[in-house]
């Protein structure tokens, strides 16, 4: 059934804070007004989300890059990317949840390079479809395309693929960030055509064995697939920031 938290006006859903990222300095950023134990909660408390991953992301995101943000949530990485890519760069953000999408749009509108950011109200996976998105009530970055058996509200969302968006066209993404609570292997399968054409962007992927398994994938097989594509693998962990 619909999630009551996804109802209400834009103003009721968000509050403006001052965030601070060392390469960018201070900037205004909207977060959820309702309690959120991680993303919006950390931003309210600390003015930054995932400080180590944010530092790595800033280092990887270059002038002129074409950045794809999958599971964009309220737009932390989309906003940062838009500030770093310059006028010749581009950001394409995907976010399926309606409330997160509202705040994502508000945050993109705050950046000086908002015209270079394209937003889609979609999840990504391995085929085009409509699927149920299972919503977490207190961790608004933990919405999932699989049912874990807990009592969650559900919304039906559109699902597309990387191939559908980027196989045709003069330009392909150079940096892909994906944090989708277990859909990463499915997203990679949805890029078969691109990968067959030797597309090898920088990838920043969540690796969550529980989520991958419940999405129908074998985590070690996913890891090996990335190795077979020629990727060097590095762990980015807030608990071990090196």
């Amino acid at each position: 059934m619909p999630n009551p938290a996804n109802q209400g006006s834009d103003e009721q859903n968000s509050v403006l804070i001052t965030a601070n990222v060392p390469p960018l300095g201070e900037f205004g950023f909207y977060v959820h007004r309702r309690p959120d134990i991680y993303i919006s909660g950390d931003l309210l408390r600390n003015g930054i989300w995932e400080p180590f991953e944010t530092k790595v992301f800033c280092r990887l995101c270059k002038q002129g890059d074409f950045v794809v943000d999958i599971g964009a949530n309220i737009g932390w990485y989309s906003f940062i990317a838009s500030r770093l890519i310059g006028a010749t760069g581009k950001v394409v953000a995907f976010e399926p949840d309606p409330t997160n999408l509202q705040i994502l749009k508000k945050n993109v509108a705050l950046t000086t390079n908002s015209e270079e950011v394209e937003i889609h109200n979609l999840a990504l996976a391995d085929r085009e479809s409509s699927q149920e998105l299972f919503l977490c009530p207190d961790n608004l970055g933990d919405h999932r395309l699989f049912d874990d058996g807990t009592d969650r509200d559900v919304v039906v969302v559109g699902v597309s693929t990387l191939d559908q968006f980027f196989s045709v066209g003069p330009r392909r993404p150079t940096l892909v960030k994906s944090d989708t609570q277990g859909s990463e292997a499915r997203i990679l399968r949805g890029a078969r055509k691109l990968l067959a054409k030797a597309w090898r962007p920088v990838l920043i992927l969540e690796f969550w064995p529980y989520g991958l398994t419940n999405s129908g994938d074998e985590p070690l097989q996913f890891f090996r697939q990335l190795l077979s594509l020629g990727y060097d693998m590095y762990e980015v962990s807030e608990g071990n920031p090196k």
Side-chain angles (χ1 to χ4, degrees):
M1 65 180 180
N3 181 6
N6 282 336
Q7 311 302 317
S9 72
D10 203 17
E11 287 72 21
Q12 290 172 331
N13 287 332
S14 62
V15 60
L16 185 66
I17 66 160
T18 299
N20 192 340
V21 173
L24 304 178
E26 291 188 344
F27 53 88
F29 194 81
Y30 285 99
V31 300
H32 288 281
R33 186 180 294 275
R34 60 179 284 212
D36 177 21
I37 59 176
Y38 289 118
I39 299 177
S40 290
D42 278 10
L43 283 163
L44 278 165
R45 288 184 293 269
N46 307 318
I48 192 168
W49 164 242
E50 296 181 329
F52 180 60
E53 185 168 340
T54 295
K55 179 180 179 180
V56 172
F57 184 83
C58 289
R59 194 166 67 230
L60 293 172
C61 197
K62 308 293 186 183
Q63 282 273 334
D65 268 350
F66 185 169
V67 179
V68 176
D69 186 1
I70 309 172
N73 197 268
I74 59 175
W76 181 250
Y77 290 105
S78 294
F79 182 98
I80 291 170
S82 72
R83 293 282 297 273
L84 295 172
I85 58 171
T88 59
K90 184 176 180 64
V91 178
V92 179
F94 295 92
E95 175 52 46
D97 174 65
T99 301
N100 287 342
L101 183 79
Q102 285 183 346
I103 302 175
L104 166 63
K105 288 179 176 179
K106 291 183 72 171
N107 281 323
V108 166
L110 290 176
T111 184
T112 55
N113 206 24
S114 60
E115 67 277 4
E116 304 303 329
V117 183
E118 182 180 308
I119 298 171
H120 296 278
N121 185 201
L122 291 167
L124 291 189
D126 52 0
R127 60 188 175 87
E128 291 189 274
S129 63
S130 295
Q131 295 185 37
E132 292 181 327
L133 182 69
F134 296 85
L135 305 176
C136 184
D138 58 1
N139 178 359
L140 306 182
D142 188 31
H143 307 329
R144 311 168 178 183
L145 288 178
F146 66 85
D147 184 359
D148 66 358
T150 60
D151 184 20
R152 293 184 175 219
D153 289 321
V154 174
V155 292
V156 176
V157 300
V159 181
S160 191
T161 69
L162 285 169
D163 278 341
Q164 177 66 27
F165 270 84
F166 304 118
S167 283
V168 178
R171 194 175 182 193
R172 294 176 185 164
T174 54
L175 173 62
V176 176
K177 167 259 163 188
S178 177
D179 187 348
T180 63
Q181 303 305 94
S183 292
E184 274 66 32
R186 297 172 65 190
I187 290 167
L188 197 67
R189 286 198 298 277
R192 292 186 188 93
K193 294 178 183 178
L194 287 161
L195 294 168
K197 296 176 182 177
W199 179 61
R200 297 294 186 273
V202 175
L203 298 176
I204 305 174
L205 304 178
E206 180 186 47
F207 184 77
W208 185 34
Y210 175 85
L212 289 164
T213 301
N214 280 274
S215 296
D217 289 289
E218 207 288 308
L220 188 56
Q221 183 178 344
F222 174 52
F223 188 87
R224 287 171 175 161
Q225 183 182 5
L226 290 166
L227 290 175
S228 74
L229 291 169
Y231 280 99
D232 295 323
M233 311 288 276
Y234 301 90
E235 180 185 28
V236 178
S237 169
E238 296 300 319
N240 185 28
K242 63 178 181 180

